[in-house]
Amino acid sequence: MKLGAVLEMMRPPPGMEVDFRRPAGAPALAPADGVSWRVFSNPVSLFVGGVAAVLLELAEPSVRSGVWDHSSFRGDPALRLRRTGFAAMVTVYGPRAEAEAMIAHVVRLHDRISGTTPDGTPYRANDPRLLDWVQATAVFGFTEAYHRYVAPLSPEEKLRAFAEGEPAARLYGATNAPHDWRGWERLLAATAPGLEGSPVLTEFLDIMEGAAILPAPLRGLQRRLVRAAVAMTPEPVRSLPELRSRGLRRGEARWVRLLGRAAAWLPLPSLPPAQAARRMRAAR
């Protein structure tokens, strides 16, 4: 029952239906034998990694204003989470033409988004510098969540995860996104002086812990997964006052790992990873 509720987050939200089974043999943006196909097939790493990525994004002032002032997180966090997660599914598993069309649509929407931060700094959503940060935090979040809570990844596999994200990054306009794990560490170090806490971080965590994303009996599970995301968020963000007391409690990391590893063994024939795998086999 618990895993079944988490799996619902991988199903297409209204208006985003994509046929991952056709056309036979159509390649995706990410290679079918790559690390990304493993990482994104697990609902636990998808949820935990997504929350960790958003925490890093919201610590960057311009990204925070763009996301928080122009999104539906407050009004309907469950739908926003499903839409974001499913967009990642299309990017990784969808036929290339479908993924390219979806990304082009997102880029057009982002062209309309601009504004100023509370301190008066102008921003625009399609600024390549901000896109580089968003792309890098997403790859880090999903990859590290899988590494910590599902199955260890080698340094080479972590490197490949960033390389596999390059085609999508270029389509989004993230022209200088990291190509490997060292590139991520350099970007994090360069960005760290500008990262900061804010009430938005607290509000986001409160929403993610309390919103009706999972059924009411599983809200404790939901809070635990959010705490797992806080626990894996890198410095200096993890030590911000808004996050400092909200990580995993004693013994909870082991419980999250058990859940993540159990999810990896579930047969999921109706979800995008399995459908995409059948598409690739159909051409043989």
Side-chain angles (χ1 to χ4, degrees):
M1 177 184 178
K2 289 183 178 181
L3 284 173
V6 177
L7 292 174
E8 283 301 312
M9 295 183 298
M10 299 175 69
R11 300 191 187 282
M16 290 187 72
E17 292 78 9
V18 170
D19 190 349
F20 291 88
R21 301 166 298 174
R22 300 180 181 86
L29 289 174
D33 59 350
V35 177
S36 301
W37 276 48
R38 263 187 288 154
V39 167
F40 282 83
S41 68
N42 190 287
V44 173
S45 60
L46 194 65
F47 182 95
V48 174
V51 173
V54 173
L55 287 172
L56 288 165
E57 292 167 18
L58 295 179
E60 206 288 331
S62 293
V63 178
R64 177 170 66 244
S65 292
V67 169
W68 213 243
D69 295 345
H70 301 275
S71 79
S72 58
F73 262 122
R74 286 188 182 99
D76 194 344
L79 179 60
R80 173 57 192 259
L81 189 68
R82 283 184 66 191
R83 290 180 69 86
T84 301
F86 194 73
M89 294 281 106
V90 176
T91 302
V92 173
Y93 299 109
R96 183 183 292 267
E98 292 271 12
E100 290 174 344
M102 182 204 70
I103 293 172
H105 176 68
V106 171
V107 170
R108 289 193 297 271
L109 291 177
H110 285 176
D111 271 336
R112 309 173 193 169
I113 297 175
S114 62
T116 57
T117 64
D119 70 358
T121 302
Y123 69 84
R124 56 188 181 87
N126 277 340
D127 181 341
R129 178 184 68 85
L130 303 183
L131 293 170
D132 290 344
W133 179 245
V134 170
Q135 172 70 14
T137 57
V139 178
F140 163 80
F142 295 124
T143 305
E144 184 66 11
Y146 188 91
H147 173 71
R148 287 198 182 204
Y149 302 120
V150 182
L153 295 171
S154 69
E156 172 62 24
E157 288 173 319
K158 288 186 174 184
L159 182 153
R160 281 165 47 204
F162 276 93
E164 290 168 10
E166 283 188 57
R170 287 194 298 269
L171 291 171
Y172 276 113
T175 53
N176 288 304
H179 306 308
D180 55 31
W181 197 264
R182 286 189 178 182
W184 155 248
E185 291 175 335
R186 287 193 296 269
L187 179 60
L188 177 60
T191 310
L195 300 178
E196 62 181 24
S198 78
V200 169
L201 282 170
T202 301
E203 186 178 357
F204 171 70
L205 287 171
D206 288 343
I207 288 172
M208 294 306 297
E209 288 187 350
I213 296 170
L214 298 183
L218 301 182
R219 215 56 53 77
L221 163 65
Q222 183 174 313
R223 289 191 291 270
R224 205 170 295 182
L225 294 176
V226 173
R227 291 198 292 270
V230 173
M232 58 163 273
T233 303
E235 299 291 7
V237 175
R238 189 173 65 245
S239 292
L240 291 172
E242 295 84 356
L243 273 66
R244 201 171 293 153
S245 62
R246 303 191 69 156
L248 287 168
R249 299 163 187 171
R250 184 185 296 274
E252 287 187 335
R254 179 176 177 274
W255 188 94
V256 176
R257 281 194 292 271
L258 288 172
L259 187 66
R261 289 167 185 172
W265 289 98
L266 283 178
L268 310 172
S270 65
L271 295 182
Q275 292 179 343
R278 289 200 296 273
R279 181 181 83 240
M280 300 309 294
R281 288 196 299 270
R284 295 175 188 171

